[in-house]
Each structure stands twice: as structure tokens, then as C-alpha cells.
Amino acid sequence: MAMELKATKNFTVRFNETDSMGIVWHGSYVTYFEDAREAFGMKYGFDYLTIVNQGFYVPIVDMHIEYKSMMRYGDEGRIVITFKNCDSAKIIYEYEIFNRKTGKLVAKGSTLQVFVDMNYELVISSPDFFIDWKIKNGIKNQ
Amino acid sequence: MAMELKATKNFTVRFNETDSMGIVWHGSYVTYFEDAREAFGMKYGFDYLTIVNQGFYVPIVDMHIEYKSMMRYGDEGRIVITFKNCDSAKIIYEYEIFNRKTGKLVAKGSTLQVFVDMNYELVISSPDFFIDWKIKNGIKNQ
Amino acid sequence: MAMELKATKNFTVRFNETDSMGIVWHGSYVTYFEDAREAFGMKYGFDYLTIVNQGFYVPIVDMHIEYKSMMRYGDEGRIVITFKNCDSAKIIYEYEIFNRKTGKLVAKGSTLQVFVDMNYELVISSPDFFIDWKIKNGIKNQ
Amino acid sequence: MAMELKATKNFTVRFNETDSMGIVWHGSYVTYFEDAREAFGMKYGFDYLTIVNQGFYVPIVDMHIEYKSMMRYGDEGRIVITFKNCDSAKIIYEYEIFNRKTGKLVAKGSTLQVFVDMNYELVISSPDFFIDWKIKNGIKNQ
């Protein structure tokens, strides 16, 4: 059975993340997702700088966000990020954001990242360090 | 035959829209989409303030973005927004962003908005002003 | 001797806070300052929502930032915020941001806020709750 | 008599530039200033990329903003940027933002930039290209 790698990150809604409607601006969730990826990377040794030091950027090529309920300034959220394994040279994360006080689902979504080299050329095969990282963390390709 | 309502908006990549990779940060496209909705609203009398004055907010409940090529600081883009009609009380837009110089597709995506009243309660049926707006603009429900 | 109220807030530079130069975009410090005000408010019962519940907004009318050294993605900072008392109906904070690893001063600055009522009309005299808050926290007007 | 170089840039307040107070977030003015510098640079051949191509970054080391009146979503502003000459290796701009409809002053401020090389080392003397640019534009050091 495949193990799923997860990380969680708590946050409090910042004033500048809200908009004239008085709720969190939908674009702010992109930052919440980014914070979650960072928390995940820190936990599992797969953060942005580690990847760059291996000679790769990992730009996002697909992002999907569903908004389920609203958050306001000062609300406290928890974001859960899950690494979804796939055989190709892709990094897929799924995200769920909850209101910490009510437990309510606030938003969910996913991102897809690819590997490019320092000249921004697409890397077709999984880099060795990525395969090694998967093995080390008990993620097996089928 | 159904007419499709479209608007276009030109933009130049701002310095603060880029990131450490030297390319436009993926979250900046949320703002480009928002600018496109605004351009559309201004062209067709369907802008945010007009909607608020009718007693509704139209929060985004779903957003999807696909990134096809990169933009850098100073690059010139064109965003094309298309209103996709549907029978229910929803506002669906599709977006395409092109590099104005190369003509290359940079990104595409979609957003889905619903109507809520000033207490943020979901409005199930299309508001009258929305139906009127559709008729006035030659959009027919099937 | 007047006591000085201070709060500190640690942070890690987010990816989207950097720019094409590879350093933290100067505008990101506005958010760091805001986070510091929030940390201060939470510590001393003087946060934004508490103030709003008293019937006031406290817009910033003056902001000054000096940039002393650069921060990059992943750098760890500490921001120290100090409440500077003055007799009039103003809220003055001073800020210092340090690199947590090197101890180096990264930036310093100040903000000045005034009180406006819910119609955005300027409030000339210190609101009672503000005077009470000062007394409770050992801050004496001269 | 010294000529003053000026540029102007019109803008419309974006939805995501506002906050829960319903007015433009004070940090958004940093972006307005940046847009103004860009407009200035484009007008006078002194834009960011031109400077980078000469081998320099010009980080902001001091920024001051005074907020005089509020702007809301959809308001139309005009920003006037003025180059303030000084003998040393510094770039100083002053900014004034007006509400285009009312003519009212919305904000004013200034920024100070220095020259650093591509290793972020401070450049003490004015780079040749900067002196040439000044001469070409009729700006004389005293």
C-alpha cells in the first residue's frame, strides 16, 4: 500500500488578503497553497532551494481551486497538502483548507509542476534526485 | 446561433508580478483574469459595481489556470475573455492570454462565479437583472 | 519613566515576496509591517477587529521605510514593533527588521495612523477606549 | 534653470487593491509608484531593463508615502512622477497621486534608489551611462 506524504500549515488571515467584499480575496489562496508547498518541502527535504540546488526549477503548469466557504480577516485556517505520486516527471499536490475553529472546509485544489532546467527547458524524465527522494520517502512507482 | 460575448485587455508585465525565477509568478495571472473581467464588465455594463448596486456579490467558487509558456518583466500580453452562457445562476468566463509580440499562447483558464446576496447567502435562481442583461446582449437560454 | 510597548514577530521570506532581482521586493515590507502590527495588537488587546468593534478604522496616513540590507527567498527575519506614545489621537509605530541568522538590520521604518469613524470622518480627539487602553498598559500622557 | 523631468500615468483602482475597509490598501500605492517609475523609464529611456543591460540594479533604499484622501474600487487616479536631480549616484523620484474625477490629492511620496552591480555591491560613483542620460535630457549637475 502506498504511503501518502502530507504536511499541514496553520495560518491566520491577513488584513491585506481580504477585499472590498470583506472576505478573503480568491487570489490569496494561491499564496496559501504556496505556503503549504513550502511547509511540505521543509518537512520532507523537498523545498524550493533544495530543488534549485539540484539544477531545476519546478514551475506550476496547472492550478485548480474550488472555493467552498468564505474566510474573513482574523479567521484561522489550516491547510493540508498531500503529495500525489505519479510515474512521470511531475509534482502533483492536492490541498484542503479548513477553518480551524469550525472545522468547515474552506477550499480545496491541486497544482501540477514540471521540471525545467536553468534555461527553462522542459525535463522529460524524472531527475535522479527526485527518484531518490521518492524512494527515501517510501513512495514507489508502480 | 448563439453569439459569444468577448472582451480583450492588453497589459505589460509589472516588476512586482515576477518572482525569483525571473518569470511572472503564477499567482499574478489571477490578477490578469480579474483585469479581464473588469474590461468585460465595462464593455457590456456588467462590472462589479453595477452588480453590487443590484444587491449581489459574485464570488468566485472555481478557478482553473493552465500555464503554457512563460512571461518576463516587460513582456506585453493580451488577454481575451469570453462569457460562456449557461442556464443556471452562474457566471462562467474563459480566458486566453497571448504574448502580444510572439502571438504565443501564455495561459488559459476559466472561472465560475455564483450570486450571493449582501448577507452572503447563495442565490439559487438567476437574478432578474442578470436575465435582462443576457437578453439585452443577445444571449438566449436554450 | 515611560514604558515602551514592544512585540516581535518571526517570519520566513515567501517565494512570492521576491522579485526578478532575486531579493525581497521592497513592497513586501509593507506586509511585514502589517504582520507586526497584528502581532502587537494580539499581544496587547489592540488588534484591528477590537478597534473596529469600538467603531473606528485606523487608516495609515504616513509610512516610511528604509532598506538597509537585502533578504532572499527562505531567509528568516524578525520584526520588532514599538508603540511610540504621543498625546494626540494618533497611533505611531516604529519597526526594525533583522535577519535572524546574521543579526543584521534589514530594514526600519514607521507608520502613523489616525482614527476615523465608520463614515471615514476624521476623529480629532483620542477615543475613550484608546485612552483607557493606554492607561491599562502603563502609558501616560505627559 | 534646471528642467524637471516628469511623466504621468493614469490608472483605475483594481478590486484586489482594496481591503476590508472598502478603500485602497495602503500597500497598493507601492505598486502605483512602481508603475509610475516604469512610465517615466519608458518615456525617457531609463527603464529597468535598460539599466540592467548596463550592468546595474537600482534597489529602493528609502520610501516615504503620505496618504491624503481615500480611493475606492473603480476610482480613477493619475500619478505624476518627477525626477529630482542630485549630484551623487542616487535616483530620487517624487510622486503625486490625484483622483482624476475630483482633482483631489490622494497621496504623495518619494523613493530613493542606489546603484548596485550584479553582485549587489554598492556603486559609489554615478555610472557613466547615468551621467550621459542626464546630459542627454538636459539635467546638469551643479
Side-chain angles (χ1 to χ4, degrees):
Chain A
M1 197 198 70
M3 197 182 71
E4 278 204 323
L5 300 188
K6 281 175 189 293
T8 62
K9 163 93 180 167
N10 290 343
F11 66 96
T12 303
V13 173
R14 289 168 155 176
F15 189 68
N16 66 46
E17 293 165 350
T18 59
D19 61 29
S20 286
M21 274 194 274
I23 59 173
V24 174
W25 183 58
H26 69 285
S28 301
Y29 291 81
V30 180
T31 301
Y32 299 156
F33 282 15
E34 189 161 281
D35 288 346
R37 283 195 303 280
E38 187 63 12
F40 182 94
M42 287 302 169
K43 182 173 177 184
Y44 293 108
F46 195 59
D47 55 291
Y48 177 76
L49 288 180
T50 296
I51 296 170
V52 166
N53 287 338
Q54 295 290 338
F56 302 96
Y57 291 128
V58 284
I60 285 178
V61 296
D62 194 293
M63 178 172 60
H64 183 208
I65 310 180
E66 293 171 67
Y67 303 88
K68 300 299 189 180
S69 57
M70 297 171 301
M71 297 192 87
R72 291 163 185 282
Y73 170 71
D75 278 356
E76 300 185 327
R78 165 173 292 121
I79 180 158
V80 179
I81 178 172
T82 306
F83 179 86
K84 306 301 284 187
N85 187 40
C86 76
D87 288 1
S88 52
K90 291 173 181 168
I91 304 171
I92 301 172
Y93 289 114
E94 289 183 357
Y95 309 80
E96 286 180 305
I97 300 179
F98 300 93
N99 185 312
R100 280 218 298 290
K101 198 164 279 176
T102 64
K104 217 172 171 182
L105 182 65
V106 171
K108 51 183 290 192
S110 62
T111 55
L112 166 59
Q113 291 166 277
V114 294
F115 293 89
V116 300
D117 62 24
M118 291 289 141
N119 298 317
Y120 303 96
E121 292 296 325
L122 185 68
V123 173
I124 305 292
S125 307
S126 288
D128 287 346
F129 93 95
F130 183 46
I131 295 173
D132 291 347
W133 175 83
K134 282 190 181 184
I135 292 169
K136 195 183 139 199
N137 284 281
I139 302 169
K140 284 202 186 66
N141 285 340
Q142 288 75 23
Chain B
M1 197 198 71
M3 197 182 71
E4 279 204 323
L5 300 188
K6 281 176 188 292
T8 63
K9 163 92 179 168
N10 289 343
F11 66 97
T12 304
V13 173
R14 287 168 156 176
F15 189 67
N16 66 46
E17 292 166 350
T18 60
D19 62 27
S20 286
M21 275 195 274
I23 59 173
V24 174
W25 182 58
H26 69 286
S28 301
Y29 291 81
V30 180
T31 301
Y32 300 157
F33 281 16
E34 190 161 279
D35 288 345
R37 282 195 303 280
E38 187 63 13
F40 181 95
M42 287 302 171
K43 182 172 176 186
Y44 294 107
F46 195 58
D47 57 293
Y48 177 75
L49 288 180
T50 295
I51 295 171
V52 166
N53 288 338
Q54 295 290 337
F56 301 96
Y57 292 128
V58 283
I60 285 179
V61 296
D62 193 294
M63 176 172 61
H64 183 209
I65 310 180
E66 293 171 66
Y67 303 89
K68 300 299 190 182
S69 57
M70 296 170 301
M71 298 192 85
R72 293 164 184 283
Y73 170 72
D75 278 357
E76 299 185 328
R78 165 174 292 122
I79 180 159
V80 179
I81 178 172
T82 306
F83 178 85
K84 306 300 285 188
N85 186 39
C86 76
D87 287 0
S88 50
K90 292 174 180 166
I91 304 170
I92 301 171
Y93 290 114
E94 289 182 357
Y95 309 81
E96 287 181 304
I97 299 180
F98 299 94
N99 184 311
R100 279 218 300 287
K101 199 164 278 174
T102 65
K104 217 173 171 179
L105 180 65
V106 170
K108 53 184 288 193
S110 62
T111 55
L112 167 58
Q113 290 165 276
V114 292
F115 292 89
V116 299
D117 62 24
M118 291 289 142
N119 298 317
Y120 303 97
E121 292 295 325
L122 184 68
V123 173
I124 305 291
S125 307
S126 289
D128 287 346
F129 92 96
F130 183 46
I131 295 171
D132 292 346
W133 175 82
K134 282 190 183 185
I135 291 168
K136 194 183 141 199
N137 284 280
I139 302 169
K140 283 204 187 64
N141 283 339
Q142 287 77 22
Chain C
M1 196 199 71
M3 199 181 72
E4 277 203 323
L5 300 188
K6 281 176 189 292
T8 63
K9 163 93 180 169
N10 289 343
F11 65 96
T12 303
V13 173
R14 286 169 157 176
F15 189 68
N16 66 46
E17 292 165 351
T18 59
D19 61 28
S20 286
M21 274 195 273
I23 59 173
V24 174
W25 183 59
H26 70 285
S28 301
Y29 290 81
V30 180
T31 300
Y32 299 156
F33 281 16
E34 189 161 280
D35 288 344
R37 282 195 303 280
E38 186 64 12
F40 182 94
M42 286 303 170
K43 183 173 175 185
Y44 294 108
F46 196 59
D47 56 292
Y48 177 76
L49 289 180
T50 295
I51 295 171
V52 166
N53 287 338
Q54 295 290 337
F56 302 96
Y57 292 128
V58 284
I60 285 180
V61 296
D62 194 294
M63 177 173 60
H64 183 208
I65 309 180
E66 295 172 66
Y67 303 88
K68 300 300 189 179
S69 57
M70 298 170 301
M71 296 192 86
R72 292 165 185 282
Y73 170 70
D75 278 356
E76 299 185 330
R78 166 173 292 121
I79 180 157
V80 179
I81 178 171
T82 305
F83 178 85
K84 306 301 285 186
N85 188 39
C86 76
D87 287 1
S88 52
K90 290 172 182 168
I91 304 170
I92 302 172
Y93 290 114
E94 289 182 358
Y95 309 80
E96 286 181 304
I97 299 180
F98 300 94
N99 184 313
R100 280 218 299 288
K101 200 163 276 174
T102 65
K104 218 174 173 179
L105 182 64
V106 170
K108 51 184 291 193
S110 62
T111 54
L112 167 58
Q113 291 165 276
V114 293
F115 293 88
V116 300
D117 62 23
M118 292 287 141
N119 297 317
Y120 302 98
E121 291 296 325
L122 185 68
V123 173
I124 305 292
S125 308
S126 288
D128 286 346
F129 93 96
F130 183 46
I131 295 173
D132 291 347
W133 176 81
K134 282 190 183 185
I135 292 169
K136 195 183 139 197
N137 284 282
I139 302 168
K140 284 202 185 67
N141 284 340
Q142 287 75 24
Chain D
M1 200 200 67
M3 196 181 73
E4 279 204 322
L5 301 187
K6 281 176 189 293
T8 63
K9 163 92 180 168
N10 289 343
F11 65 97
T12 303
V13 173
R14 288 170 157 174
F15 188 68
N16 66 47
E17 292 165 350
T18 60
D19 61 30
S20 286
M21 273 194 276
I23 59 173
V24 174
W25 182 59
H26 69 286
S28 301
Y29 291 81
V30 180
T31 300
Y32 299 157
F33 281 16
E34 190 161 279
D35 288 345
R37 283 195 302 281
E38 187 63 15
F40 182 93
M42 287 302 169
K43 182 172 176 186
Y44 294 108
F46 195 58
D47 56 293
Y48 177 77
L49 289 180
T50 296
I51 295 171
V52 166
N53 287 338
Q54 295 290 337
F56 301 96
Y57 291 128
V58 284
I60 285 178
V61 296
D62 195 293
M63 176 171 62
H64 183 207
I65 310 179
E66 293 170 69
Y67 303 87
K68 299 300 190 182
S69 58
M70 296 171 301
M71 297 192 86
R72 293 164 184 282
Y73 169 71
D75 278 356
E76 300 185 327
R78 165 173 292 121
I79 181 159
V80 179
I81 179 171
T82 306
F83 180 84
K84 305 301 285 188
N85 187 39
C86 77
D87 287 2
S88 51
K90 290 172 182 168
I91 304 170
I92 301 172
Y93 290 114
E94 288 182 358
Y95 309 81
E96 286 180 305
I97 299 179
F98 299 94
N99 184 312
R100 279 218 300 286
K101 198 163 280 176
T102 64
K104 217 173 172 180
L105 181 64
V106 171
K108 51 184 290 193
S110 61
T111 55
L112 167 58
Q113 291 165 276
V114 293
F115 292 90
V116 301
D117 63 23
M118 291 289 141
N119 298 316
Y120 302 97
E121 292 295 325
L122 185 68
V123 173
I124 305 292
S125 307
S126 288
D128 287 347
F129 92 95
F130 183 46
I131 295 172
D132 291 348
W133 175 81
K134 283 191 184 184
I135 291 169
K136 195 184 140 199
N137 285 283
I139 302 169
K140 283 204 187 65
N141 284 340
Q142 286 75 25

